């Protein structure tokens, strides 16, 4: 799946399962990213973060490059 760059500036919504699945689906290790996102949502660390900020956090903490 390719990244929808037009969504980079939109807020990531932890309340919507399709958001979690969309972002985790952009990475080869889907489940690891999904679990990471669930954890960050649970502790409100990515509340009010844009998609781009979420991708950067994934890069920083998990070491996965930004998806294409």
């Amino acid at each position: 799946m390719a990244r929808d760059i037009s969504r980079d500036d939109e807020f990531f919504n932890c309340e919507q399962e399709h958001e979690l699945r969309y972002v985790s689906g952009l990475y080869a290790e889907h489940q690891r990213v999904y679990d990471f996102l669930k954890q960050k949502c649970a502790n409100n660390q990515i509340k009010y973060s844009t998609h781009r900020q979420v991708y950067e956090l994934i890069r920083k903490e998990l070491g996965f490059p930004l998806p294409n």
Side-chain angles (χ1 to χ4, degrees), residues 46-57:
I46 57 177
K47 189 173 185 176
Y48 302 117
S49 294
T50 64
H51 281 245
R52 177 67 179 207
Q53 291 168 323
V54 170
Y55 302 141
E56 287 292 339
L57 186 65

Side-chain angles (χ1 to χ4, degrees), residues 5-50:
I5 295 173
S6 68
R7 296 178 75 181
D8 280 1
D9 293 328
E10 293 179 8
F11 286 111
F12 181 80
N13 188 341
C14 287
E15 302 295 318
Q16 295 182 348
E17 182 67 22
H18 75 270
E19 289 268 86
L20 297 164
R21 297 218 179 274
Y22 166 73
V23 172
S24 62
L26 296 173
Y27 295 89
E29 292 190 42
H30 309 295
Q31 191 61 49
R32 185 169 173 204
V33 174
Y34 179 85
D35 293 342
F36 174 80
L37 293 173
K38 289 293 277 189
Q39 175 192 16
K40 298 302 179 184
C41 285
N43 68 17
N44 290 324
Q45 189 171 346
I46 57 177
K47 189 173 185 176
Y48 302 117
S49 294
T50 64

